[in-house]
Amino acid sequence: MAEPRIENGVVIDDTFAEAFPMKATRLIITAHNPTWAMHAATATTGFATSVIACGCEAGIERVLSPGETPDGRPGVAVLIFSMSGKELAKQIERRVGQCVLTCPTTAVYAGLDEGEPVALGRNLRFFGDGWQISKMIDGKRYWRVPVMDGEFVAEETTAVTKGVGGGNLLILARDTDTALAAAEAGVAAMRSVPNVIMPFPGGVVRSGSKVGSKYPALMASTNDAFCPALTPLAKKSELSDEVRCVMEIVIDGLTDADVSAATRAGMDAIIARGSAAGVVRLSAGNYGGKLGPFHFHLHKLLDGEGAA
Amino acid sequence: MSQACHLRLKHALPVGVDASTLLPERLATLSIDEIARLPLELGRDLVAVGDLFDISLREADGVELRFEGDCRKLHGVGRAMGEGRLVVDGPVGDQVGVEMRGGEIQVCGDAGDLAGGAMAGGRLEIGGSVGDFAASTLPGAMDGMRGGVLIVRGDAGDRFGDRMRRGVAVVHGRTGDFLASRMVAGTIALAGETGEHPGHGMRRGTLVFAGAQPRVPDTFSATHHDTRVFWALMARSLAPFGAPFDGLAARCPARVVGDLGADGKGEWMLPA
């Protein structure tokens, strides 16, 4: 690691977050009122923290006003990322089928215009048992499936585009309280950036992982270099004694520029609180730059540059 | 730059002329002399375009063909047109825009029968009224209009949208009898009154009665479920066609389905 940089008392490591290409889509979920739209969006993006075991990474991008949705009702935009288009298509069908189709008053639409179309309502229509209605409106096909509260309207397809997954920011703090507060401030700032999600609970992950394990069956295991419990034990710890709690924010975005903007927003928010708020260092996770093509250098981001 | 071709009728046509070979994309690369030599069927005879029309060319932003004069005996204008813009500065004969696949046709006056018959794409706008079988099947065919947008600013005759399969047809005036007969899919929006037997044999598709509400036949039944999501999408789509379609979003519709006499699942939307 090269020379660190200090901003408002917080040490910024001269390192980079390493991210990977993914497949992504945006869905717009609307409902009779904001509460039910959020119920559906929350369920749809549940158990979607990591592709390691969830099949996809998903999150709520933002709440939409009625003026921003196709049917003029309150809505929520969600982003879903997966490692392949095929897996993403499977996840979309399962999640929309079980979490949106089932949720009272909802409808679902594609949230991206450009990209390869994959099924959204195309297969879910068969729930209609022959009573479903196809309707072409302004060049888009919608399916209207009779359900007990009226009809479920779903656009036939949603566009899948290339995305970027695995952007990250490590927050090294004095204790749990200060680490949590900094992480919450960082996530709040990142949520103001469009086209990104932070898929872990509350946007924060405490079990950062490294690739591989001593157990052959496991593809990932605890990031021992950043575990305070292992500071005196691990072969190569990244922590000093004053760091007693580390939190990580993982960022998925539609483009590397979006991930850059979110990372920068999170760093700015944490740095603004300063070392007096308990943050010792900001760092990032990578694999030496050999695995992922997107490198988000923390120093370059602070200088206004994007991903390398 | 592209080429715009103007064809001005030299004199009134004594009999019908098949103008289906005069398409914007075909004339776009031809000189005045080449256009003038193109053959046309005048009744049972063959004549040259130059015998009937004064021809002029000018540069334009897109491919364009414009007919000027009384074209009521000019039939098949824009048949199977694929691209470009075609304008008729007045009335036109039968079968305007039949089987068109793309581009835009604008007729400033009335059109004859079968306007937009079996059209599959593009936009056909009739400034006046149309005759019978607009947006319908061609004789002997199974499918009517199957894509694109047809706008009739005036009235329409009988059998409007017969066997229509896809696309949007909008009538600002009234229609004759048997509106949407045997309709398979697509959307017809009507501002004025309709004649007898609307929706006869209707299988699927949507009829929007934005103005006068017709008597609902015994072979149609009301559904009472919440259709506001679909209606919001439909109303937003029809709003650009102007009054009275631009105010549909605020008018919650009643919905009836049929023609149950033909085991149909077509729908009429009857906004309050």
Side-chain angles (χ1 to χ4, degrees):
Chain A
M1 194 181 300
E3 286 298 308
R5 177 169 161 177
I6 299 175
E7 299 283 345
N8 201 15
V10 178
V11 175
I12 314 298
D13 286 355
D14 187 9
T15 187
F16 60 93
E18 188 172 354
F20 303 88
M22 298 182 84
K23 295 290 187 179
T25 193
R26 176 190 285 124
L27 302 181
I28 294 175
I29 300 168
T30 67
H32 188 66
N33 59 42
T35 300
W36 286 103
M38 187 57 72
H39 281 320
T42 302
T44 302
T45 56
F47 185 59
T49 56
S50 170
V51 291
I52 292 176
C54 303
C56 70
E57 298 178 6
I60 291 169
E61 182 187 14
R62 69 187 182 97
V63 172
L64 301 173
S65 68
E68 298 176 290
T69 64
D71 59 22
R73 302 191 302 167
V76 177
V78 303
L79 294 175
I80 307 176
F81 296 79
S82 197
M83 296 307 289
S84 70
K86 187 176 179 181
E87 178 63 27
L88 182 58
K90 188 170 79 175
Q91 291 292 329
I92 291 168
E93 191 168 308
R94 283 185 178 176
R95 290 169 181 273
V96 174
Q98 298 303 311
C99 306
V100 184
L101 165 64
T102 58
C103 182
T105 76
T106 57
V108 64
Y109 308 96
L112 294 175
D113 293 326
E114 303 292 332
E116 180 191 353
V118 300
L120 182 56
R122 180 190 291 158
N123 297 328
L124 298 176
R125 76 178 194 259
F126 293 114
F127 182 73
D129 198 25
W131 298 103
Q132 68 271 18
I133 299 172
S134 160
K135 197 68 200 169
M136 291 287 291
I137 299 177
D138 292 337
K140 295 178 179 177
R141 184 185 295 280
Y142 299 89
W143 287 100
R144 301 162 60 191
V145 180
V147 285
M148 294 193 298
D149 72 353
E151 56 186 21
F152 170 60
V153 175
E155 195 169 333
E156 167 152 284
T157 59
T158 183
V160 168
T161 186
K162 291 179 180 176
V164 176
N168 64 81
L169 182 64
L170 289 165
I171 303 161
L172 286 62
R174 280 201 305 262
D175 54 37
T176 303
D177 288 341
T178 55
L180 271 182
E184 290 169 8
V187 169
M190 291 177 181
R191 283 190 171 141
S192 67
V193 177
N195 305 331
V196 298
I197 56 164
M198 283 60 71
F200 282 93
V204 184
V205 51
R206 60 93 176 262
S207 59
S209 58
K210 67 177 183 295
V211 175
S213 164
K214 68 180 287 185
Y215 306 107
L218 297 181
M219 59 190 294
S221 60
T222 192
N223 193 358
D224 42 39
F226 284 90
C227 290
L230 304 178
T231 303
L233 301 175
K235 285 183 179 176
K236 184 178 181 307
S237 176
E238 293 282 350
L239 307 183
S240 57
D241 286 344
E242 62 180 327
V243 176
R244 296 175 183 177
C245 184
V246 179
M247 298 292 180
E248 179 178 357
I249 304 173
V250 171
I251 308 147
D252 296 338
L254 294 182
T255 67
D256 56 348
D258 297 323
V259 176
S260 291
T263 308
R264 171 69 194 266
M267 292 173 69
D268 286 347
I270 294 168
I271 289 169
R273 302 171 81 251
S275 59
V279 174
V280 178
R281 282 167 53 199
L282 291 179
S283 190
N286 61 64
Y287 312 98
K290 297 176 181 175
L291 296 180
F294 302 105
H295 300 165
F296 301 94
H297 292 265
L298 301 187
H299 287 187
K300 289 182 179 178
L301 289 175
L302 286 178
D303 294 334
E305 298 178 37
Chain B
M1 294 293 284
S2 301
Q3 178 171 285
C5 176
H6 284 210
L7 300 178
R8 177 189 293 274
L9 270 177
K10 290 180 175 177
H11 42 72
L13 294 170
V15 294
V17 172
D18 180 0
S20 61
T21 57
L22 302 179
L23 296 174
E25 63 263 43
R26 185 182 182 202
L27 304 190
T29 57
L30 302 181
S31 66
I32 287 181
D33 288 344
E34 289 169 326
I35 295 171
R37 288 196 296 269
L38 291 174
L40 288 176
E41 291 182 10
L42 178 71
R44 295 181 176 179
D45 300 323
L46 280 181
V47 296
V49 169
D51 297 334
L52 302 180
F53 296 96
D54 291 322
I55 305 166
S56 62
L57 300 178
R58 63 173 176 79
E59 288 189 342
D61 291 335
V63 175
E64 183 177 315
L65 170 61
R66 182 178 290 264
F67 290 97
E68 298 176 5
D70 186 348
C71 299
R72 273 176 290 196
K73 292 184 178 175
L74 213 55
H75 304 307
V77 170
R79 176 188 284 271
M81 177 173 144
E83 59 179 308
R85 185 164 186 264
L86 193 158
V87 179
V88 182
D89 279 345
V92 73
D94 297 335
Q95 300 196 24
V96 61
V98 296
E99 297 178 321
M100 71 180 288
R101 296 170 286 112
E104 178 185 357
I105 298 177
Q106 184 174 3
V107 177
C108 297
D110 296 337
D113 293 340
L114 285 163
M119 70 180 284
R123 178 185 171 96
L124 170 59
E125 180 168 353
I126 310 296
S129 297
V130 295
D132 297 336
F133 285 97
S136 301
T137 50
L138 298 180
M142 291 294 290
D143 293 335
M145 179 178 176
R146 49 181 176 268
V149 177
L150 169 63
I151 304 164
V152 179
R153 296 288 174 188
D155 300 330
D158 296 340
R159 304 299 287 260
F160 186 91
D162 181 53
R163 286 190 186 273
M164 180 172 169
R165 178 169 286 277
R166 192 179 289 175
V168 177
V170 177
V171 181
H172 285 260
R174 68 178 304 280
T175 68
D177 298 340
F178 290 99
L179 168 67
S181 54
R182 306 183 292 181
M183 184 178 185
V184 178
T187 301
I188 295 176
L190 176 63
E193 297 176 341
T194 191
E196 297 296 319
H197 312 301
H200 178 77
M202 190 175 175
R203 302 301 304 273
R204 291 185 298 275
T206 305
L207 268 178
V208 177
F209 291 96
Q213 307 283 292
R215 185 187 72 81
V216 177
D218 293 338
T219 54
F220 280 72
S221 286
T223 66
H224 302 287
H225 68 284
D226 191 337
T227 58
R228 282 178 289 182
V229 175
F230 162 68
W231 185 243
L233 298 172
M234 178 58 70
R236 184 173 289 190
S237 171
L238 294 175
F241 296 110
F245 307 107
D246 53 2
L248 290 175
R251 299 167 58 195
C252 193
R255 178 178 185 266
V256 299
V257 293
D259 180 349
L260 301 179
D263 200 22
K265 292 188 289 185
E267 65 181 348
W268 293 9
M269 305 304 285
L270 304 163

